[in-house]
Amino acid sequence: DQQVKQNSPSLSVQEGRISILNCDYTNSMFDYFLWYKKYPAEGPTFLISISSIKDKNEDGRFTVFLNKSAKHLSLHIVPSQPGDSAVYFCAALGGANNLFFGTGTRLTVIP
Amino acid sequence: EPEVTQTPSHQVTQMGQEVILRCVPISNHLYFYWYRQILGQKVEFLVSFYNNEISEKSEIFDDQFSVERPDGSNFTLKIRSTKLEDSAMYFCATAPVGPEQYFGPGTRLTVT
């Protein structure tokens, strides 16, 4: 099942700079996407979401961009902070409200 | 802030034994889910539950698995006869009417 892909397993960014995490999907029926953050020994924490009727959604330092024609979304974090260091999962909402997750990208923000 | 809780945090069991994983959803949430993550793999959907019945289940959720909400608060996942390959983190998630799902901290199941 490769319907949601995160091709970068890891990303390192200097504190204060922008972090860009990418996600691709293959199922054109997906119309709602979510980003989750996960710390070790914890469950995924909901961060931000976007509906396919939009191409951008912003919440504080977090912005998600959606390019439907490319089946691509990205999460921008600016400015990045050391506390943002975690694994970030992209997820797409299926027809039964089940989530299809990517494999995650480990973000390290260097102080 | 209300959160989803799960017990136990870690369960070790022998192959063939039954296990019950427990979840306490956020109180006004209506939709309940179980997911699992095998070490090094992606988080995978198991089952969704709404209005006291299963609304969707994945291929993973075979006859060895069952879910119930026995007392209107707890939401449980039972594995009848555990196999080695059932070793994973099991996450409960709950949702209000909207699509955002809120996850518990997980139960690490180790089958020996």
Side-chain angles (χ1 to χ4, degrees), chain A residues 1 4 32 34 36 38 41-44 46 49 89 93 96-99 101-103, chain B residues 31 33 35 37 42-45 48 55-56 91 97 99-106:
Chain A
D1 175 7
V4 179
Y32 201 90
L34 305 91
Y36 284 83
K38 187 179 181 304
E42 294 185 13
F46 170 70
S49 59
F89 291 97
L93 191 68
N97 281 353
N98 50 320
L99 293 174
F101 281 88
T103 48
Chain B
Y31 297 85
Y33 307 84
Y35 292 81
Q37 185 180 27
K42 56 173 71 177
V43 177
E44 302 173 287
F45 167 76
S48 58
S55 27
E56 184 75 21
F91 295 106
V97 176
E100 288 87 15
Q101 297 177 19
Y102 296 85
F103 284 74

Side-chain angles (χ1 to χ4, degrees), chain B residues 26-93:
Chain B
I26 295 172
S27 64
N28 61 340
H29 285 193
L30 304 175
Y31 297 85
F32 312 110
Y33 307 84
W34 284 101
Y35 292 81
R36 78 172 185 191
Q37 185 180 27
I38 294 172
L39 188 63
Q41 298 185 23
K42 56 173 71 177
V43 177
E44 302 173 287
F45 167 76
L46 292 178
V47 66
S48 58
F49 192 85
Y50 170 71
N51 202 24
N52 283 321
E53 58 183 32
I54 290 174
S55 27
E56 184 75 21
K57 56 185 181 179
S58 71
E59 295 170 351
I60 304 166
F61 195 88
D62 61 22
D63 292 344
Q64 293 299 310
F65 291 88
S66 62
V67 289
E68 64 175 358
R69 204 157 176 236
D71 55 10
S73 59
N74 289 292
F75 177 50
T76 62
L77 174 70
K78 182 193 291 186
I79 309 175
R80 260 179 274 282
S81 177
T82 50
K83 303 189 274 276
L84 293 175
E85 55 265 37
D86 293 328
S87 295
M89 282 292 291
Y90 287 80
F91 295 106
C92 172

